[in-house]
Amino acid sequence: MTALELKNKRILVTGGAGFLGRQVIDQLCQAGADREKITVTRSHDCDLRVWENCQRAADQQDIIIHLAAHVGGIGLNREKPAELFYDNLMMGTQLIHAAYQQGVEKFVCVGTICAYPKFTPVPFKEEDLWAGYPEETNAPYGIAKKALLVQLESYRQQYGFNGVYLLPVNLYGPEDNFNPSSSHVIPALIRKVHEAQVKGEKRLPAWGDGSPTREFLYSTDAALGIVMATQSYNESDPINLGTGEEISIKDLITLICELMEFDGEIVWETDKPNGQPRRCLDTQKAKAAFGFTAQVGFREGLKNTIDWWRNNAE
């Protein structure tokens, strides 16, 4: 199948000023898009929870890539489940409807690994998405995002609307969110180790018991997969984006401590939640459907992320 020609296309990237969004825009331009025809929405001047803003944002666009999300780690998911459900559902569902009404040619929705059931067989296959309820701490966020898959499937069925749904695994990389109240595990750990070193502390507290496993996708790889799908994937079935490699939280912390030369003791706070027991994706569909495989090795990606934080911690 011929790839969608991006030259001269008007492309809206919601969340385009964010950590992943900037990489997606770079990859779009490398794939032939005109940077001056790419529009980026920012939450402070285009709140997508407001219907009229979604109508304005979708107006005259050929392609929409929806990255914008209200998202964070376990702490934020426990603290603000209602906000995470409402904000993500309203942004996505209104923007999809506005895109359909305005005749947008293609809608690329970036979902979340949190949509998978708590006890999904590993590696997670796309067809297991509905095999149970998500892990409780992130279910409100995961279900809100999963509802957008149902919307896209039904709009394709009734209206012939070309919407695709991607499921990237946990992302990391330079320019990630290092805010301790809302960051995900890798930036949170890097910051913790850095601050322990600055203060001369020899004990590092870590949530849970270290047993859960996670898979991580470097931000440039995620952006590459999103752009490849934008160009070459036109089916209703959701598609995983990942590396197919899992690492335990215990091994992850050990590796970060090694790369950052921290030789203190890790203290496991077993009264804190572990989150989902295992996460690792089956990535065969993305490879078969549009030739995507991750390029950046985990150790290399972690080192780049650590170096960026150390240069920008102030």
Side-chain angles (χ1 to χ4, degrees):
M1 197 196 123
T2 52
L4 178 65
E5 180 63 62
L6 298 179
K7 190 164 177 59
N8 297 322
K9 296 287 187 194
R10 290 158 304 189
I11 304 172
L12 170 69
V13 183
T14 71
F19 154 61
L20 175 60
R22 289 192 289 270
Q23 303 286 359
V24 168
I25 289 167
D26 284 347
Q27 297 278 356
L28 284 168
C29 293
Q30 286 178 41
D34 305 308
R35 194 173 284 265
E36 63 276 9
K37 294 195 173 177
I38 298 174
T39 305
V40 169
T41 59
R42 292 169 179 265
S43 55
H44 59 78
D45 59 18
C46 184
D47 184 343
L48 294 173
R49 296 171 300 179
V50 178
W51 166 242
E52 289 77 14
N53 291 345
C54 290
Q55 287 180 301
R56 272 198 298 275
D59 187 38
Q60 304 291 310
Q61 299 297 338
D62 299 309
I63 299 167
I64 294 178
I65 300 175
H66 180 46
L67 307 175
H70 185 177
V71 63
I74 290 179
L76 187 72
N77 278 281
R78 292 174 86 199
E79 185 191 338
K80 297 186 172 178
E83 284 182 33
L84 290 172
F85 180 82
Y86 179 85
D87 291 353
N88 289 293
L89 184 68
M90 295 309 289
M91 284 194 289
T93 198
Q94 295 191 124
L95 189 63
I96 290 168
H97 192 66
Y100 151 66
Q101 283 193 331
Q102 310 240 14
V104 169
E105 185 180 336
K106 186 164 188 178
F107 193 103
V108 180
C109 186
V110 177
T112 173
I113 190 76
C114 300
Y116 272 102
K118 181 175 183 175
F119 297 109
T120 309
V122 174
F124 294 9
K125 289 181 161 59
E126 291 89 346
E127 47 270 29
D128 292 330
L129 197 56
W130 297 98
Y133 195 76
E135 199 279 322
E136 294 78 6
T137 51
N138 55 40
Y141 171 66
I143 289 170
K145 296 289 267 184
K146 191 149 69 164
L148 305 179
L149 168 61
V150 179
Q151 185 178 4
L152 289 171
E153 288 175 337
S154 54
Y155 277 47
R156 182 183 291 274
Q157 183 184 338
Q158 186 173 343
Y159 306 132
F161 182 65
N162 188 13
V164 302
Y165 190 90
L166 308 176
L167 287 157
V169 78
N170 298 56
L171 305 182
Y172 75 105
E175 303 182 1
D176 202 345
N177 169 23
F178 284 82
N179 181 331
S181 68
S182 58
S183 58
H184 284 104
V185 61
I186 285 179
L189 288 171
I190 290 171
R191 181 171 180 147
K192 262 189 184 178
V193 172
H194 177 80
E195 289 178 351
Q197 288 175 313
V198 169
K199 293 172 186 168
E201 291 169 356
K202 287 294 178 188
R203 287 162 64 83
L204 186 76
W207 277 26
D209 62 13
S211 66
T213 67
R214 292 293 180 264
E215 174 184 349
F216 299 98
L217 183 62
Y218 195 62
S219 54
T220 55
D221 278 336
L224 176 64
I226 290 165
V227 172
M228 290 174 80
T230 301
Q231 290 188 281
S232 303
Y233 185 65
N234 297 291
E235 307 294 328
S236 59
D237 291 343
I239 290 266
N240 289 335
L241 294 179
T243 63
E245 296 171 10
E246 66 183 317
I247 184 171
S248 72
I249 297 298
K250 187 176 183 181
D251 289 345
L252 171 65
I253 294 182
T254 302
L255 179 55
I256 287 173
C257 289
E258 178 201 323
L259 291 171
M260 297 183 74
E261 299 178 342
F262 176 77
D263 54 6
E265 179 196 359
I266 297 162
V267 182
W268 294 102
E269 298 182 331
T270 52
D271 59 323
K272 298 287 202 302
N274 270 328
Q276 193 165 20
R278 288 181 75 187
R279 276 188 192 165
C280 185
L281 297 182
D282 184 311
T283 57
Q284 292 307 303
K285 267 193 177 175
K287 188 173 183 181
F290 46 91
F292 172 72
T293 50
Q295 309 291 308
V296 180
F298 188 52
R299 194 182 180 94
E300 176 194 350
L302 264 186
K303 195 171 177 320
N304 294 345
T305 309
I306 290 164
D307 291 346
W308 183 87
W309 171 248
R310 283 189 159 151
N311 291 329
N312 294 276
E314 299 313 316

